[in-house]
Amino acid sequence: MKPPLLPGLLAAAVFAAPAIVPTRSLAQDLSPSEDTVLKAHGSQEFSPYVGRNYPTKVLWGDQHLHTAISVDAGTMCRLGQEDAYRFARGEEVTATTGVRARLSRPLDWLVISDHAEMYGLMPQLLSGDPTILATEQGKRWYDALESGNKETMFATAMEIVASLQQPDPPFKSDDAVRNAWRAYTALADRYNEPGRFTALIGYEYTTRGGFNLHRNVIFRGDASVANQMIPFSQFDSQNPEDLWQALDEFRDRAGAQVLAIPHNGNLSNGLMFSVETNDGKPYTKELAELRASLETLVEVTQIKGDGESHPFLSPNDEFADYETWDDANLDGTEVKKKEMLQYEYARSALKIGLQLEKKLGVNPFKFGMAGGTDAHTALSAIEEDNFFGKHSGVEPDPHRYEHIVIKSPKDPTLTTYGWQQAASGRTAVWATENTREAIFDAMKRKETYATTGSRIMVRFFAGWEYAKQDALSRLPAGIGYEKGVPMGGDLRSAPEGKAPTFLVAAMKDPFSGNLDRIQIIKGWMNADGSTDERVYDVAWSDNRKPDADGKLPAVGNTVDVAGATWTNTIGTPELITVWKDPDFDPGQHAFYYARVIEIPTPRWTAYEAKRYGIKMPKEVPMITQERAYTSPIWYSP
């Protein structure tokens, strides 16, 4: 195995910061003229970094976090939006349960996406607001939530969440919502520090109850822009298409930009990526264009399960069954059927998008990849050894593995327990600088990737001219942009006799496991309109050899479960390669994305067992393989 090139790759253009150009000094005025220098050295500049104008920063963040402002979070969580910002920036805070908490590394950016429904109600209720306590329901909720009894508080929380499924809110005050929203946008502006930390403004639109057609709405601008609307909620409409219309009208009226990021299609029971509209009609070209313009990203991994693919949909993909939640819809009111799965997972939706594009001329599912925690604790803490859970009822304690996360009102077998939570996920964006505008623009062009929490570095490019020697360059990003397009981009009609080539590079998270392999997932549409997929292993560690069927042997396993540790004696810190599609058909529409897999490391449950000296039940997984999913690159004839 060739020696790792980690320091070189880190220092080179893949992850380097933009150069600072000083003003001319007296010493420079007395130096040889620029013409003389160019004549002496030829026409090329000496520095390889001169003129570099492509994204060189990978910025880590969470586009999906809830605080006590959200109705459901606020039933148990006592941390507010300012606590969330402080924690994300690397400060130490005290969690709702009284435990001190801190991230191993600060985030670069954050979206606090509190629920639009009755925005800010819970702090108003818990402060003992007289107008709310004057009602029988408000007084009963207040007494239950202040009781300190965990069972009573949880039951009340479930009752409050259930009240959101009614046509009208139990407490209605547009002024209260507007005031809470403006307090948040002002706070976001205060914590937004260009170049150091970005506080993007956003909220979550939550609809269809247990069928989870939820979206995180994110604004490009500041409070003066975001305040031109108040959060659009399910009490405005239960139809996501009405949300798109409202956001489109806002774009026109305010001259502003906004995105909506769907999440947890895996719990939508076949609705998230349906080929029909909300009222059961076929998609129109206009609706497909509207969705594609707003939903440029999809959250494919988070605490409530992974949404890249499913073993039923991808039976030949050994890594498809990762943190799978597939028993029912979100609240356990409807059992999952296998025919629903194709409309729930990202890879399948990308294939369906090719079919819709052929029919409509527009692909409504042409999205990139994002991750998010969806934590309702105000703590974006999803490191395996630092996992604070889905909500404050399952923050760290010796028995949280058996605590209830989601309770089914119909079937106890569909209840979700603490150990089933996934410590996931993160969004990485390739940006020119750490600002609202640069991060939003990266999301808009889909130059993003999702991880299950580990900060793996990934570059992914496609073109027609990459050669093997390009993988030897210490400036792969420079070659990547020069010869092709990055993740989120498009390849048009193939040159005669050419197949697409891909330059892909990955580097380990220094706090996590070595890399096992890089895979490229291809999906395509056949001439008859059917779709297919294939997973290619394109780079791997430890000089393994594929077997006669092309299957790569497993990397091995060094995890000591009892000690909650592992050794990086297998795998590699870095992988980089150029790969050419051996099965390319220039007449087929296709997409490609990279998936990077780490070696096995301890799951959060292993850390928990060691920390508290407990023995986990047999069904509890104790080992994980963290991964990253890049946004796709599409090929269109």
mmCIF file of all heavy atoms in Angstrom, residues 361-382:
data_model
loop_
_atom_site.group_PDB
_atom_site.id
_atom_site.type_symbol
_atom_site.label_atom_id
_atom_site.label_comp_id
_atom_site.label_asym_id
_atom_site.label_seq_id
_atom_site.Cartn_x
_atom_site.Cartn_y
_atom_site.Cartn_z
ATOM 1 N N GLY A 361 -40.226 16.481 -19.067
ATOM 2 C CA GLY A 361 -39.184 17.412 -19.497
ATOM 3 C C GLY A 361 -38.478 18.085 -18.340
ATOM 4 O O GLY A 361 -37.566 18.888 -18.536
ATOM 5 N N VAL A 362 -38.893 17.782 -17.105
ATOM 6 C CA VAL A 362 -38.308 18.353 -15.893
ATOM 7 C C VAL A 362 -38.189 17.242 -14.852
ATOM 8 O O VAL A 362 -39.092 16.419 -14.716
ATOM 9 C CB VAL A 362 -39.178 19.491 -15.318
ATOM 10 C CG1 VAL A 362 -38.581 20.024 -14.021
ATOM 11 C CG2 VAL A 362 -39.326 20.617 -16.326
ATOM 12 N N ASN A 363 -37.082 17.238 -14.132
ATOM 13 C CA ASN A 363 -36.858 16.251 -13.074
ATOM 14 C C ASN A 363 -37.123 16.893 -11.712
ATOM 15 O O ASN A 363 -36.325 17.693 -11.235
ATOM 16 C CB ASN A 363 -35.413 15.743 -13.146
ATOM 17 C CG ASN A 363 -35.116 14.653 -12.126
ATOM 18 O OD1 ASN A 363 -35.899 14.402 -11.215
ATOM 19 N ND2 ASN A 363 -33.956 14.025 -12.265
ATOM 20 N N PRO A 364 -38.247 16.557 -11.049
ATOM 21 C CA PRO A 364 -38.545 17.170 -9.750
ATOM 22 C C PRO A 364 -37.680 16.625 -8.620
ATOM 23 O O PRO A 364 -37.632 17.209 -7.544
ATOM 24 C CB PRO A 364 -40.016 16.813 -9.523
ATOM 25 C CG PRO A 364 -40.204 15.531 -10.270
ATOM 26 C CD PRO A 364 -39.315 15.627 -11.476
ATOM 27 N N PHE A 365 -37.009 15.483 -8.865
ATOM 28 C CA PHE A 365 -36.185 14.849 -7.839
ATOM 29 C C PHE A 365 -34.704 14.947 -8.189
ATOM 30 O O PHE A 365 -33.931 14.017 -7.966
ATOM 31 C CB PHE A 365 -36.596 13.390 -7.661
ATOM 32 C CG PHE A 365 -38.046 13.186 -7.322
ATOM 33 C CD1 PHE A 365 -38.731 12.073 -7.767
ATOM 34 C CD2 PHE A 365 -38.735 14.116 -6.565
ATOM 35 C CE1 PHE A 365 -40.065 11.876 -7.461
ATOM 36 C CE2 PHE A 365 -40.076 13.938 -6.255
ATOM 37 C CZ PHE A 365 -40.746 12.817 -6.703
ATOM 38 N N LYS A 366 -34.298 16.074 -8.690
ATOM 39 C CA LYS A 366 -32.894 16.311 -9.027
ATOM 40 C C LYS A 366 -32.256 17.037 -7.845
ATOM 41 O O LYS A 366 -32.007 18.231 -7.876
ATOM 42 C CB LYS A 366 -32.781 17.131 -10.307
ATOM 43 C CG LYS A 366 -31.389 17.131 -10.908
ATOM 44 C CD LYS A 366 -31.392 17.789 -12.276
ATOM 45 C CE LYS A 366 -30.017 17.714 -12.906
ATOM 46 N NZ LYS A 366 -30.002 18.321 -14.255
ATOM 47 N N PHE A 367 -31.986 16.275 -6.796
ATOM 48 C CA PHE A 367 -31.552 16.862 -5.539
ATOM 49 C C PHE A 367 -30.158 16.378 -5.146
ATOM 50 O O PHE A 367 -29.689 15.328 -5.561
ATOM 51 C CB PHE A 367 -32.541 16.544 -4.416
ATOM 52 C CG PHE A 367 -32.859 15.069 -4.256
ATOM 53 C CD1 PHE A 367 -31.948 14.194 -3.683
ATOM 54 C CD2 PHE A 367 -34.085 14.563 -4.676
ATOM 55 C CE1 PHE A 367 -32.250 12.842 -3.528
ATOM 56 C CE2 PHE A 367 -34.396 13.218 -4.527
ATOM 57 C CZ PHE A 367 -33.476 12.354 -3.961
ATOM 58 N N GLY A 368 -29.511 17.194 -4.316
ATOM 59 C CA GLY A 368 -28.250 16.811 -3.706
ATOM 60 C C GLY A 368 -28.480 16.256 -2.314
ATOM 61 O O GLY A 368 -29.602 16.164 -1.832
ATOM 62 N N MET A 369 -27.379 15.890 -1.656
ATOM 63 C CA MET A 369 -27.461 15.208 -0.365
ATOM 64 C C MET A 369 -27.127 16.147 0.789
ATOM 65 O O MET A 369 -26.174 16.930 0.735
ATOM 66 C CB MET A 369 -26.491 14.029 -0.332
ATOM 67 C CG MET A 369 -26.650 13.043 -1.472
ATOM 68 S SD MET A 369 -28.232 12.154 -1.453
ATOM 69 C CE MET A 369 -27.833 10.778 -2.556
ATOM 70 N N ALA A 370 -27.928 16.043 1.848
ATOM 71 C CA ALA A 370 -27.692 16.771 3.092
ATOM 72 C C ALA A 370 -27.943 15.835 4.262
ATOM 73 O O ALA A 370 -28.643 14.815 4.130
ATOM 74 C CB ALA A 370 -28.608 17.990 3.185
ATOM 75 N N GLY A 371 -27.382 16.158 5.403
ATOM 76 C CA GLY A 371 -27.662 15.434 6.638
ATOM 77 C C GLY A 371 -28.148 16.417 7.680
ATOM 78 O O GLY A 371 -28.030 17.634 7.519
ATOM 79 N N GLY A 372 -28.697 15.912 8.754
ATOM 80 C CA GLY A 372 -29.155 16.775 9.839
ATOM 81 C C GLY A 372 -29.421 15.942 11.070
ATOM 82 O O GLY A 372 -29.642 14.731 10.963
ATOM 83 N N THR A 373 -29.421 16.547 12.227
ATOM 84 C CA THR A 373 -29.666 15.777 13.442
ATOM 85 C C THR A 373 -31.148 15.582 13.706
ATOM 86 O O THR A 373 -31.571 14.506 14.098
ATOM 87 C CB THR A 373 -29.029 16.472 14.666
ATOM 88 O OG1 THR A 373 -29.659 17.740 14.870
ATOM 89 C CG2 THR A 373 -27.537 16.651 14.465
ATOM 90 N N ASP A 374 -31.953 16.623 13.522
ATOM 91 C CA ASP A 374 -33.349 16.650 13.967
ATOM 92 C C ASP A 374 -33.423 16.465 15.481
ATOM 93 O O ASP A 374 -34.408 15.965 16.004
ATOM 94 C CB ASP A 374 -34.188 15.583 13.247
ATOM 95 C CG ASP A 374 -35.681 15.811 13.409
ATOM 96 O OD1 ASP A 374 -36.081 16.903 13.843
ATOM 97 O OD2 ASP A 374 -36.460 14.879 13.111
ATOM 98 N N ALA A 375 -32.357 16.867 16.177
ATOM 99 C CA ALA A 375 -32.372 16.795 17.638
ATOM 100 C C ALA A 375 -33.335 17.826 18.192
ATOM 101 O O ALA A 375 -33.385 18.966 17.723
ATOM 102 C CB ALA A 375 -30.969 17.026 18.185
ATOM 103 N N HIS A 376 -34.095 17.414 19.222
ATOM 104 C CA HIS A 376 -35.041 18.308 19.899
ATOM 105 C C HIS A 376 -34.535 18.656 21.297
ATOM 106 O O HIS A 376 -35.312 18.813 22.238
ATOM 107 C CB HIS A 376 -36.414 17.652 19.971
ATOM 108 C CG HIS A 376 -37.172 17.683 18.675
ATOM 109 N ND1 HIS A 376 -36.650 17.206 17.499
ATOM 110 C CD2 HIS A 376 -38.427 18.146 18.376
ATOM 111 C CE1 HIS A 376 -37.541 17.370 16.526
ATOM 112 N NE2 HIS A 376 -38.621 17.934 17.028
ATOM 113 N N THR A 377 -33.207 18.790 21.405
ATOM 114 C CA THR A 377 -32.541 19.059 22.678
ATOM 115 C C THR A 377 -31.831 20.403 22.690
ATOM 116 O O THR A 377 -31.251 20.780 23.713
ATOM 117 C CB THR A 377 -31.482 17.981 22.942
ATOM 118 O OG1 THR A 377 -30.536 18.005 21.849
ATOM 119 C CG2 THR A 377 -32.096 16.587 23.037
ATOM 120 N N ALA A 378 -31.806 21.108 21.537
ATOM 121 C CA ALA A 378 -31.016 22.323 21.305
ATOM 122 C C ALA A 378 -29.530 22.007 21.204
ATOM 123 O O ALA A 378 -28.718 22.925 21.099
ATOM 124 C CB ALA A 378 -31.257 23.384 22.371
ATOM 125 N N LEU A 379 -29.164 20.717 21.215
ATOM 126 C CA LEU A 379 -27.762 20.302 21.179
ATOM 127 C C LEU A 379 -27.502 19.503 19.905
ATOM 128 O O LEU A 379 -28.025 18.401 19.743
ATOM 129 C CB LEU A 379 -27.419 19.437 22.397
ATOM 130 C CG LEU A 379 -27.708 20.060 23.766
ATOM 131 C CD1 LEU A 379 -27.453 19.044 24.872
ATOM 132 C CD2 LEU A 379 -26.870 21.314 23.981
ATOM 133 N N SER A 380 -26.715 20.068 19.009
ATOM 134 C CA SER A 380 -26.365 19.357 17.779
ATOM 135 C C SER A 380 -25.204 18.413 18.082
ATOM 136 O O SER A 380 -24.083 18.579 17.606
ATOM 137 C CB SER A 380 -25.975 20.364 16.681
ATOM 138 O OG SER A 380 -25.706 19.692 15.476
ATOM 139 N N ALA A 381 -25.486 17.402 18.891
ATOM 140 C CA ALA A 381 -24.453 16.502 19.408
ATOM 141 C C ALA A 381 -24.738 15.081 18.952
ATOM 142 O O ALA A 381 -25.530 14.372 19.575
ATOM 143 C CB ALA A 381 -24.402 16.577 20.929
ATOM 144 N N ILE A 382 -24.084 14.674 17.856
ATOM 145 C CA ILE A 382 -24.338 13.329 17.332
ATOM 146 C C ILE A 382 -23.033 12.547 17.108
ATOM 147 O O ILE A 382 -23.024 11.580 16.350
ATOM 148 C CB ILE A 382 -25.187 13.368 16.030
ATOM 149 C CG1 ILE A 382 -24.730 14.458 15.049
ATOM 150 C CG2 ILE A 382 -26.652 13.571 16.360
ATOM 151 C CD1 ILE A 382 -23.632 14.077 14.146
#
